[in-house]
Amino acid sequence: TVDDIRPEDAADANDPGQEKKFVEDDGEEDHEASILCGRRALCSRRSISNYAHTLVDVATFDAESHRILKLGVPFTLAEMSDALFDAITVALISRYLGVKSLQAYIVTNLL
């Protein structure tokens, strides 16, 4: 049955190459984190340091990240220029054509 399956039964449960990076065993029986008090508080220096080290481990900059960044820069610049041109268009329409024309422009852009 399904209740008989445990994590230890997995094919890679005893794999020596498997790294248990996110499991910390500091000898404490109680592993519940409290919000404000104690060593395991979510806002303690130790917890914040662990979060920072985990973030650095996850966000290491490698060749693939460099390729993704190179791909994302043109799209980001295109969206920023599009937003700037839309803001300039709205400013010009409201300044020279009036509020009713601006309302018509905004409604037609929403559709």
Side-chain angles (χ1 to χ4, degrees):
T1 65
V2 177
D3 295 332
D4 295 337
I5 298 174
R6 299 182 318 248
E8 296 84 25
D9 297 334
D12 62 349
N14 296 321
D15 185 8
Q18 184 178 12
E19 188 175 352
K20 296 184 179 182
K21 189 177 251 185
F22 299 110
V23 176
E24 67 179 72
D25 185 21
D26 53 3
E28 292 182 10
E29 288 294 321
D30 184 28
H31 287 291
E32 287 187 28
S34 95
I35 294 177
L36 296 174
C37 303
R39 284 183 61 211
R40 303 187 63 78
L42 295 177
C43 59
S44 70
R45 287 184 190 170
R46 179 180 176 203
S47 295
I48 293 172
S49 175
N50 286 341
Y51 302 147
H53 288 296
T54 302
L55 179 64
V56 169
D57 289 343
V58 170
T60 54
F61 194 75
D62 56 354
E64 187 68 25
S65 301
H66 185 67
R67 288 178 53 205
I68 291 172
L69 184 64
K70 282 175 56 175
L71 180 65
V73 167
F75 290 115
T76 303
L77 291 175
E79 289 301 318
M80 288 173 57
S81 64
D82 188 38
L84 177 68
F85 293 144
D86 282 342
I88 292 171
T89 303
V90 166
L92 291 174
I93 289 174
S94 66
R95 169 84 174 156
Y96 294 111
L97 298 178
V99 176
K100 292 192 184 252
S101 298
L102 180 61
Q103 288 173 348
Y105 175 77
I106 291 174
V107 167
T108 55
N109 273 345
L110 289 176
L111 301 175

PDB file of all heavy atoms in Angstrom, residues 72-91:
ATOM      1  N   GLY A  72      18.363  38.447 -22.122  1.00  0.00           N
ATOM      2  CA  GLY A  72      17.346  39.265 -21.472  1.00  0.00           C
ATOM      3  C   GLY A  72      17.535  40.758 -21.619  1.00  0.00           C
ATOM      4  O   GLY A  72      16.576  41.523 -21.530  1.00  0.00           O
ATOM      5  N   VAL A  73      18.768  41.221 -21.832  1.00  0.00           N
ATOM      6  CA  VAL A  73      19.026  42.663 -21.913  1.00  0.00           C
ATOM      7  C   VAL A  73      18.266  43.322 -23.063  1.00  0.00           C
ATOM      8  O   VAL A  73      17.612  44.351 -22.857  1.00  0.00           O
ATOM      9  CB  VAL A  73      20.547  42.938 -21.984  1.00  0.00           C
ATOM     10  CG1 VAL A  73      20.839  44.368 -22.377  1.00  0.00           C
ATOM     11  CG2 VAL A  73      21.191  42.615 -20.649  1.00  0.00           C
ATOM     12  N   PRO A  74      18.280  42.805 -24.279  1.00  0.00           N
ATOM     13  CA  PRO A  74      17.516  43.461 -25.348  1.00  0.00           C
ATOM     14  C   PRO A  74      16.007  43.507 -25.080  1.00  0.00           C
ATOM     15  O   PRO A  74      15.350  44.516 -25.364  1.00  0.00           O
ATOM     16  CB  PRO A  74      17.809  42.615 -26.591  1.00  0.00           C
ATOM     17  CG  PRO A  74      19.050  41.890 -26.287  1.00  0.00           C
ATOM     18  CD  PRO A  74      19.072  41.698 -24.814  1.00  0.00           C
ATOM     19  N   PHE A  75      15.467  42.437 -24.510  1.00  0.00           N
ATOM     20  CA  PHE A  75      14.034  42.431 -24.206  1.00  0.00           C
ATOM     21  C   PHE A  75      13.698  43.447 -23.117  1.00  0.00           C
ATOM     22  O   PHE A  75      12.672  44.130 -23.183  1.00  0.00           O
ATOM     23  CB  PHE A  75      13.582  41.028 -23.774  1.00  0.00           C
ATOM     24  CG  PHE A  75      13.580  40.038 -24.900  1.00  0.00           C
ATOM     25  CD1 PHE A  75      14.445  38.958 -24.878  1.00  0.00           C
ATOM     26  CD2 PHE A  75      12.719  40.183 -25.972  1.00  0.00           C
ATOM     27  CE1 PHE A  75      14.447  38.045 -25.912  1.00  0.00           C
ATOM     28  CE2 PHE A  75      12.722  39.270 -27.008  1.00  0.00           C
ATOM     29  CZ  PHE A  75      13.589  38.202 -26.983  1.00  0.00           C
ATOM     30  N   THR A  76      14.572  43.564 -22.135  1.00  0.00           N
ATOM     31  CA  THR A  76      14.347  44.536 -21.073  1.00  0.00           C
ATOM     32  C   THR A  76      14.404  45.952 -21.618  1.00  0.00           C
ATOM     33  O   THR A  76      13.552  46.791 -21.289  1.00  0.00           O
ATOM     34  CB  THR A  76      15.400  44.353 -19.963  1.00  0.00           C
ATOM     35  OG1 THR A  76      15.323  43.013 -19.483  1.00  0.00           O
ATOM     36  CG2 THR A  76      15.180  45.317 -18.827  1.00  0.00           C
ATOM     37  N   LEU A  77      15.391  46.239 -22.448  1.00  0.00           N
ATOM     38  CA  LEU A  77      15.488  47.570 -23.045  1.00  0.00           C
ATOM     39  C   LEU A  77      14.291  47.878 -23.941  1.00  0.00           C
ATOM     40  O   LEU A  77      13.793  49.011 -23.956  1.00  0.00           O
ATOM     41  CB  LEU A  77      16.792  47.695 -23.835  1.00  0.00           C
ATOM     42  CG  LEU A  77      18.070  47.707 -23.000  1.00  0.00           C
ATOM     43  CD1 LEU A  77      19.293  47.723 -23.901  1.00  0.00           C
ATOM     44  CD2 LEU A  77      18.080  48.892 -22.060  1.00  0.00           C
ATOM     45  N   ALA A  78      13.814  46.891 -24.677  1.00  0.00           N
ATOM     46  CA  ALA A  78      12.651  47.100 -25.539  1.00  0.00           C
ATOM     47  C   ALA A  78      11.404  47.423 -24.718  1.00  0.00           C
ATOM     48  O   ALA A  78      10.643  48.336 -25.049  1.00  0.00           O
ATOM     49  CB  ALA A  78      12.406  45.867 -26.403  1.00  0.00           C
ATOM     50  N   GLU A  79      11.204  46.703 -23.616  1.00  0.00           N
ATOM     51  CA  GLU A  79      10.035  46.962 -22.770  1.00  0.00           C
ATOM     52  C   GLU A  79      10.135  48.313 -22.071  1.00  0.00           C
ATOM     53  O   GLU A  79       9.137  49.015 -21.921  1.00  0.00           O
ATOM     54  CB  GLU A  79       9.858  45.846 -21.743  1.00  0.00           C
ATOM     55  CG  GLU A  79       9.387  44.543 -22.339  1.00  0.00           C
ATOM     56  CD  GLU A  79       8.059  44.669 -23.048  1.00  0.00           C
ATOM     57  OE1 GLU A  79       7.148  45.343 -22.533  1.00  0.00           O
ATOM     58  OE2 GLU A  79       7.924  44.105 -24.139  1.00  0.00           O
ATOM     59  N   MET A  80      11.342  48.680 -21.647  1.00  0.00           N
ATOM     60  CA  MET A  80      11.518  49.985 -20.997  1.00  0.00           C
ATOM     61  C   MET A  80      11.269  51.124 -21.976  1.00  0.00           C
ATOM     62  O   MET A  80      10.616  52.115 -21.642  1.00  0.00           O
ATOM     63  CB  MET A  80      12.923  50.091 -20.398  1.00  0.00           C
ATOM     64  CG  MET A  80      13.115  49.229 -19.177  1.00  0.00           C
ATOM     65  SD  MET A  80      14.808  49.172 -18.558  1.00  0.00           S
ATOM     66  CE  MET A  80      15.160  50.870 -18.273  1.00  0.00           C
ATOM     67  N   SER A  81      11.758  50.987 -23.199  1.00  0.00           N
ATOM     68  CA  SER A  81      11.523  52.043 -24.189  1.00  0.00           C
ATOM     69  C   SER A  81      10.045  52.093 -24.583  1.00  0.00           C
ATOM     70  O   SER A  81       9.495  53.177 -24.793  1.00  0.00           O
ATOM     71  CB  SER A  81      12.405  51.839 -25.418  1.00  0.00           C
ATOM     72  OG  SER A  81      12.072  50.640 -26.078  1.00  0.00           O
ATOM     73  N   ASP A  82       9.388  50.955 -24.653  1.00  0.00           N
ATOM     74  CA  ASP A  82       7.954  50.925 -24.954  1.00  0.00           C
ATOM     75  C   ASP A  82       7.158  51.640 -23.865  1.00  0.00           C
ATOM     76  O   ASP A  82       6.254  52.430 -24.162  1.00  0.00           O
ATOM     77  CB  ASP A  82       7.489  49.476 -25.090  1.00  0.00           C
ATOM     78  CG  ASP A  82       6.063  49.373 -25.578  1.00  0.00           C
ATOM     79  OD1 ASP A  82       5.660  50.180 -26.448  1.00  0.00           O
ATOM     80  OD2 ASP A  82       5.335  48.485 -25.085  1.00  0.00           O
ATOM     81  N   ALA A  83       7.507  51.395 -22.602  1.00  0.00           N
ATOM     82  CA  ALA A  83       6.823  52.073 -21.501  1.00  0.00           C
ATOM     83  C   ALA A  83       7.082  53.570 -21.532  1.00  0.00           C
ATOM     84  O   ALA A  83       6.176  54.382 -21.289  1.00  0.00           O
ATOM     85  CB  ALA A  83       7.269  51.485 -20.167  1.00  0.00           C
ATOM     86  N   LEU A  84       8.311  53.969 -21.848  1.00  0.00           N
ATOM     87  CA  LEU A  84       8.637  55.392 -21.942  1.00  0.00           C
ATOM     88  C   LEU A  84       7.862  56.059 -23.074  1.00  0.00           C
ATOM     89  O   LEU A  84       7.303  57.151 -22.889  1.00  0.00           O
ATOM     90  CB  LEU A  84      10.147  55.561 -22.154  1.00  0.00           C
ATOM     91  CG  LEU A  84      10.633  56.991 -22.348  1.00  0.00           C
ATOM     92  CD1 LEU A  84      10.470  57.766 -21.049  1.00  0.00           C
ATOM     93  CD2 LEU A  84      12.077  57.002 -22.810  1.00  0.00           C
ATOM     94  N   PHE A  85       7.798  55.420 -24.229  1.00  0.00           N
ATOM     95  CA  PHE A  85       7.068  56.000 -25.352  1.00  0.00           C
ATOM     96  C   PHE A  85       5.571  56.078 -25.064  1.00  0.00           C
ATOM     97  O   PHE A  85       4.898  57.034 -25.475  1.00  0.00           O
ATOM     98  CB  PHE A  85       7.333  55.215 -26.641  1.00  0.00           C
ATOM     99  CG  PHE A  85       8.755  55.331 -27.119  1.00  0.00           C
ATOM    100  CD1 PHE A  85       9.379  54.260 -27.717  1.00  0.00           C
ATOM    101  CD2 PHE A  85       9.477  56.502 -26.960  1.00  0.00           C
ATOM    102  CE1 PHE A  85      10.682  54.357 -28.161  1.00  0.00           C
ATOM    103  CE2 PHE A  85      10.786  56.616 -27.401  1.00  0.00           C
ATOM    104  CZ  PHE A  85      11.392  55.530 -28.012  1.00  0.00           C
ATOM    105  N   ASP A  86       5.029  55.079 -24.361  1.00  0.00           N
ATOM    106  CA  ASP A  86       3.616  55.140 -23.968  1.00  0.00           C
ATOM    107  C   ASP A  86       3.360  56.303 -23.020  1.00  0.00           C
ATOM    108  O   ASP A  86       2.351  57.001 -23.138  1.00  0.00           O
ATOM    109  CB  ASP A  86       3.178  53.835 -23.316  1.00  0.00           C
ATOM    110  CG  ASP A  86       2.913  52.735 -24.333  1.00  0.00           C
ATOM    111  OD1 ASP A  86       2.731  53.056 -25.524  1.00  0.00           O
ATOM    112  OD2 ASP A  86       2.899  51.552 -23.926  1.00  0.00           O
ATOM    113  N   ALA A  87       4.274  56.534 -22.087  1.00  0.00           N
ATOM    114  CA  ALA A  87       4.113  57.652 -21.157  1.00  0.00           C
ATOM    115  C   ALA A  87       4.190  58.988 -21.891  1.00  0.00           C
ATOM    116  O   ALA A  87       3.412  59.908 -21.618  1.00  0.00           O
ATOM    117  CB  ALA A  87       5.175  57.587 -20.067  1.00  0.00           C
ATOM    118  N   ILE A  88       5.105  59.103 -22.841  1.00  0.00           N
ATOM    119  CA  ILE A  88       5.222  60.337 -23.631  1.00  0.00           C
ATOM    120  C   ILE A  88       3.969  60.548 -24.465  1.00  0.00           C
ATOM    121  O   ILE A  88       3.446  61.667 -24.558  1.00  0.00           O
ATOM    122  CB  ILE A  88       6.486  60.293 -24.508  1.00  0.00           C
ATOM    123  CG1 ILE A  88       7.732  60.364 -23.628  1.00  0.00           C
ATOM    124  CG2 ILE A  88       6.483  61.414 -25.535  1.00  0.00           C
ATOM    125  CD1 ILE A  88       9.027  60.116 -24.366  1.00  0.00           C
ATOM    126  N   THR A  89       3.447  59.479 -25.061  1.00  0.00           N
ATOM    127  CA  THR A  89       2.227  59.577 -25.859  1.00  0.00           C
ATOM    128  C   THR A  89       1.052  60.039 -25.011  1.00  0.00           C
ATOM    129  O   THR A  89       0.287  60.925 -25.421  1.00  0.00           O
ATOM    130  CB  THR A  89       1.909  58.214 -26.512  1.00  0.00           C
ATOM    131  OG1 THR A  89       3.020  57.807 -27.290  1.00  0.00           O
ATOM    132  CG2 THR A  89       0.676  58.297 -27.387  1.00  0.00           C
ATOM    133  N   VAL A  90       0.891  59.475 -23.827  1.00  0.00           N
ATOM    134  CA  VAL A  90      -0.197  59.873 -22.927  1.00  0.00           C
ATOM    135  C   VAL A  90      -0.046  61.335 -22.530  1.00  0.00           C
ATOM    136  O   VAL A  90      -1.025  62.099 -22.523  1.00  0.00           O
ATOM    137  CB  VAL A  90      -0.234  58.945 -21.694  1.00  0.00           C
ATOM    138  CG1 VAL A  90      -1.106  59.525 -20.597  1.00  0.00           C
ATOM    139  CG2 VAL A  90      -0.725  57.565 -22.090  1.00  0.00           C
ATOM    140  N   ALA A  91       1.191  61.759 -22.241  1.00  0.00           N
ATOM    141  CA  ALA A  91       1.411  63.154 -21.858  1.00  0.00           C
ATOM    142  C   ALA A  91       1.079  64.106 -23.002  1.00  0.00           C
ATOM    143  O   ALA A  91       0.439  65.146 -22.788  1.00  0.00           O
ATOM    144  CB  ALA A  91       2.861  63.337 -21.408  1.00  0.00           C
TER     145      ALA A  91
END
